[in-house]
Amino acid sequence: MREFLVEITTTVPEGTGQDEVDRRRAAEAVRARELAATGNLARLWRPVGELRSIGIWRAADEEELHAKVLGTLPLRPWMTFTVTALQSHPNDPGGTDATP
């Protein structure tokens, strides 16, 4: 699987009831755990003081990432994504394919 850096901004539509927001957020937590278990979600962070997320996500390609991974998130209709495909860097201290 390829890795992608994904920035996610979620904007709840004005007038959406709190019950709907709570329901979707709870479903989002369940789906995130499922995607982590399948290896599609590797890491997820929230910048301090911001209402967005930054994560490392995995999929065969960007099309699969959008269709079968990010597209399955319960909050997807309220989300915007910035996706950057990643590749290994030869100087990555945590990489497995670095050469001395």
Side-chain angles (χ1 to χ4, degrees):
M1 282 197 273
R2 295 189 59 197
E3 291 187 321
F4 299 87
L5 177 70
V6 181
E7 269 187 66
I8 302 171
T9 302
T10 304
T11 305
V12 177
E14 193 170 317
T16 303
Q18 190 60 48
D19 287 347
E20 176 68 7
V21 173
D22 293 344
R23 184 186 68 74
R24 285 188 188 236
R25 284 190 176 147
E28 187 81 10
V30 169
R31 186 64 182 138
R33 286 191 297 276
E34 293 169 350
L35 290 168
T38 61
N40 294 108
L41 174 56
R43 297 293 308 266
L44 194 60
W45 299 270
R46 174 160 288 151
V48 174
E50 297 185 34
L51 294 176
R52 64 185 178 102
S53 301
I54 300 170
I56 302 295
W57 296 75
R58 296 182 181 128
D61 54 36
E62 193 167 340
E63 183 178 325
E64 179 182 278
L65 177 71
H66 284 284
K68 296 183 179 178
V69 180
L70 300 175
T72 68
L73 297 171
L75 291 172
R76 171 61 189 107
W78 302 344
M79 293 174 157
T80 57
F81 302 105
T82 302
V83 175
T84 304
L86 301 173
Q87 66 183 22
S88 296
H89 190 285
N91 298 329
D92 178 6
T96 57
D97 55 11
T99 57

